Structure formats: C-alpha cells, structure tokens
C-alpha cells in the first residue's frame, strides 16, 4: 500500500516538473531542503490524518486487533520491538499509525513507527507518512524520541527489517534477530523500557514465491537488498473480484500482542556483555510471549519461534 502511494506521489512530482507547474516543483524542492531533518526530529504528525475514516475500514478488512497484556506507565519511555516484518507490516501500520487502537489501550503514550530513511526522500509521500506518525529509523531519530524527559514516548521498531520480509511465507516463524542488537544499545543508553510485540497473522497476508536460502532467487534478492537498502519479495494474493491472483492482501485476521515491559536502567556506555545480556533476556521474553498466546491464534503446539 505504501509503495503504491509512494509511486503515485513520485509520478505527480514528475508531472509538475514536465508540465507548466515546474515552479511549484522548485518551491517544493526548496521546502524539502529546509525540512530535510524533520523525520529525525519527531516528524510532523497530524491527528486529523491518523483519524481518517478510511483507516477504520483498513483495520476491519483483515481485521486488525491490538491486544494489551500489561500496563505501560506513561511516565516512562518505551522501545517496542515489533515482530515479524511480514510483507506489508499491516499490524504495525494499523495499530500504531492510526487512531484510536493504541490511544485507547495505552493512554498517555505517543507511538512513533520508525521506518527506513529512504522513504522520506520521496516527494509529497514523506509529508503523508510523517502525518501518520512515522519517523526515520536512524539512530538520531530513535534518540530524539526516547530523549523525552517527561516520558510518554514509544518508539516502535520492526526489528527484523526489510531482510526479514524475504522469510514472510504463510506459517513461517523465522525472525532475523540474533545479530540485531542496535535497539538493545539504544534502550540502554536512554533507559527506555523494552517491550516485545508479536503480530500473529502478519505472514499470512500474501503468498511469496519460494526463495529458500541458497537459491538463485534468494541470492539475487539479498544482493539487491544490500545495494538498495530494501528487499524485493515476489508475492501475490487476491484480486478485487476474484481470490486466485492479485496484489490485494488476503483477509486474514491480525492479532498484535503487546507484551510486558522489561525495565531498563539507563547506561550511557553499555559494554558488549551488558548488551548481550539484555538481548538474551529480550529473546526469552519474546519467546515466552509467543508461547503464551500462540494457541489463541491457530499456531500448533509443536511450533516455536526460530531465531536467526
């Protein structure tokens, strides 16, 4: 969905340049230059955009549900680790970039969904995603959010990143997380409590072309991901009036379960051992969250998370 909107915005910008409205394009480029740092400084959210009626229908289509398992004290800042990435990241967008799901369950907390910086270079599209509450996934941006002295900020990071989208097959429970420890270091440096979040059903929205590790397709996808910064999964789902083929996601329920916070004491210069220790604890809490709730959402008892 975001890719389609981005393409439309870029196309509109090209039309301005090639048409008789090139001066508007020049003015916008000047604005872009002056406003370049905003995605790393908390963005520019709009309650009006986040409350559009279309988001209500978007959430109801799947449908998307947000499940609260514990209180999150608004006097603290939090770093929410979202799993898995899936293809669409529908659970993250539907629950953290639209109102009222998160707002009603966790009053006093403001969620910021961190996404790849490359999206904020897209003309006009950047204005839309910032208005929805999305900000850059850069270290500078995460620090800005978690530096709020009065608490009440929640950084939402899709830990597996674009690389994990290549594992987004129906039934897949593989998470790219063993080598991803930057979010742990950020939580320690800012004293932000860690919260594991697992979105059941995220990988069921599309069928992806088989791309096992070591295959020629996977090798090409991984090389392109390293070059461009984002992955290109080959997927399909349903159409508008038929269910056999198309790019519209399947109507599969998504249950995004927010776990209990892991208290983190601020440590401006954490050692490797301290980072590894907290990372291991996070993995333990994430696995526990999954095991406690998997039976509620159709996951067989013998299946467990696989960490890579």
């Amino acid at each position: 969905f975001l890719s389609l909107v981005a393409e439309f915005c870029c196309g509109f910008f090209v039309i301005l340049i090639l048409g008789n409205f090139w001066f508007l394009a020049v003015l916008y480029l000047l604005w872009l230059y002056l406003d370049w740092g905003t995605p790393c400084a908390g963005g520019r959210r709009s309650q009006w955009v986040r409350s559009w009626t279309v988001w209500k229908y978007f959430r109801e289509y799947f449908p998307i549900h947000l499940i609260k398992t514990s209180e999150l004290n608004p006097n603290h800042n939090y770093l929410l680790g979202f799993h898995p990435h899936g293809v669409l990241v529908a659970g993250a967008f539907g629950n953290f970039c639209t109102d009222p799901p998160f707002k009603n369950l966790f009053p006093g907390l403001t969620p910021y969904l961190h996404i790849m910086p490359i999206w904020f270079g897209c003309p006009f599209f950047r204005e839309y995603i910032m208005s929805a509450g999305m900000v850059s996934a850069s270290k500078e941006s995460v620090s800005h959010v978690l530096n709020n002295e009065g608490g009440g900020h929640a950084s939402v990071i899709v830990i597996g990143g674009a690389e994990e989208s290549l594992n987004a097959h129906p039934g897949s429970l593989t998470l790219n997380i063993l080598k991803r420890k930057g979010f742990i270091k950020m939580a320690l440096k800012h004293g932000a409590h860690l919260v594991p979040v697992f979105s059941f059903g995220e990988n069921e929205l599309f069928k992806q072309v088989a791309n096992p590790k070591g295959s020629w397709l996977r090798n090409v996808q991984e090389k392109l991901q390293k070059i461009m910064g984002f992955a290109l999964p080959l997927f399909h789902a349903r159409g508008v009036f038929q269910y056999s083929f198309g790019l519209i996601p399947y109507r599969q329920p998504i249950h995004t379960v927010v776990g209990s916070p892991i208290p983190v004491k601020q440590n401006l210069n954490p050692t490797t051992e301290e980072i590894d220790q907290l990372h291991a604890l996070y993995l333990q809490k994430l696995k526990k969250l999954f095991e406690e709730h998997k039976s509620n959402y159709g996951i067989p008892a013998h299946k467990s998370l696989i960490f890579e």
Side-chain angles (χ1 to χ4, degrees):
F1 175 76
L2 289 179
S3 297
L4 291 175
V5 177
E7 290 175 7
F8 173 81
C9 291
C10 288
F12 179 70
F13 185 71
V14 170
I15 291 174
L16 288 181
I17 295 176
L18 299 179
N20 295 324
F21 302 97
W22 58 268
F23 62 94
L24 293 178
V26 172
L27 288 176
Y28 184 79
L29 286 175
L30 176 60
W31 162 256
L32 190 63
Y33 172 77
L34 296 174
D35 194 57
W36 190 255
T38 301
C40 294
R44 187 168 46 248
R45 70 177 52 223
S46 165
Q47 191 59 43
W48 175 66
V49 173
R50 290 173 59 89
S51 301
W52 280 351
T53 303
V54 66
W55 304 136
K56 175 178 178 291
Y57 295 116
F58 173 81
R59 294 191 302 268
E60 291 178 351
Y61 171 80
F62 298 96
I64 296 174
H65 305 279
L66 185 64
I67 292 87
K68 174 182 179 180
T69 64
S70 178
E71 295 292 338
L72 297 183
N73 189 333
N75 292 325
H76 298 296
N77 292 318
Y78 298 88
L79 195 158
L80 278 62
F82 184 92
H83 312 269
H85 184 287
V87 172
L88 188 66
V89 206
F93 178 81
N95 287 311
F96 304 115
C97 295
T98 72
D99 285 329
F102 190 87
K103 184 178 181 179
N104 286 352
L105 288 179
F106 302 100
L109 282 181
T110 302
Y112 295 83
L113 179 60
H114 296 269
I115 64 174
M116 292 186 297
I118 190 173
W119 290 112
F120 296 98
C122 180
F124 300 115
F125 180 67
R126 69 189 296 276
E127 318 304 334
Y128 158 68
I129 56 179
M130 279 196 289
S131 66
M134 287 178 255
V135 292
S136 172
S138 67
K139 292 181 181 179
E140 178 188 357
S141 177
V142 176
S143 291
H144 181 89
V145 173
L146 297 181
N147 263 338
N148 192 41
E149 293 184 1
H153 281 189
S155 279
V156 183
I157 301 177
V158 185
I159 304 301
E163 181 183 357
E164 193 173 86
S165 66
L166 299 178
N167 291 327
H169 296 272
S172 174
L173 296 173
T174 301
L175 303 180
N176 291 63
I177 192 172
L178 291 181
K179 296 181 180 180
R180 296 180 180 266
K181 301 179 181 180
F183 74 104
I184 298 292
K185 186 175 182 179
M186 294 300 291
L188 282 166
K189 291 183 69 173
H190 297 283
H193 296 350
L194 280 167
V195 182
V197 178
F198 195 87
S199 195
F200 292 89
E202 200 74 44
N203 284 339
E204 318 305 316
L205 305 185
F206 297 93
K207 291 180 180 178
Q208 189 173 170
V209 175
N211 60 341
K213 288 194 173 182
S215 66
W216 70 268
L217 176 58
R218 186 60 169 258
N219 290 336
V220 170
Q221 289 175 320
E222 289 177 346
K223 287 180 180 178
L224 289 175
Q225 191 263 327
K226 290 179 180 179
I227 295 172
M228 300 184 298
F230 57 89
L232 292 173
L234 298 180
F235 60 89
H236 67 88
R238 54 163 291 185
V240 178
F241 301 110
Q242 45 78 29
Y243 295 87
S244 58
F245 188 82
L247 295 178
I248 297 176
Y250 292 115
R251 296 191 70 176
Q252 296 290 337
I254 297 172
H255 295 87
T256 303
V257 184
V258 181
S260 301
I262 303 171
V264 176
K265 186 177 181 180
Q266 187 174 25
N267 183 346
L268 296 178
N269 295 293
T271 64
T272 301
E273 290 75 20
E274 290 169 329
I275 293 173
D276 289 343
Q277 183 178 10
L278 183 56
H279 186 261
L281 177 59
Y282 179 85
L283 294 183
Q284 177 186 332
K285 295 296 184 181
L286 174 59
K287 187 173 183 178
K288 180 181 178 183
L289 177 70
F290 174 82
E291 293 294 332
E292 288 179 347
H293 294 273
K294 68 180 184 181
S295 62
N296 297 331
Y297 308 116
I299 307 295
H302 67 278
K303 287 201 168 186
S304 297
L305 293 178
I306 299 173
F307 298 143
E308 288 187 346

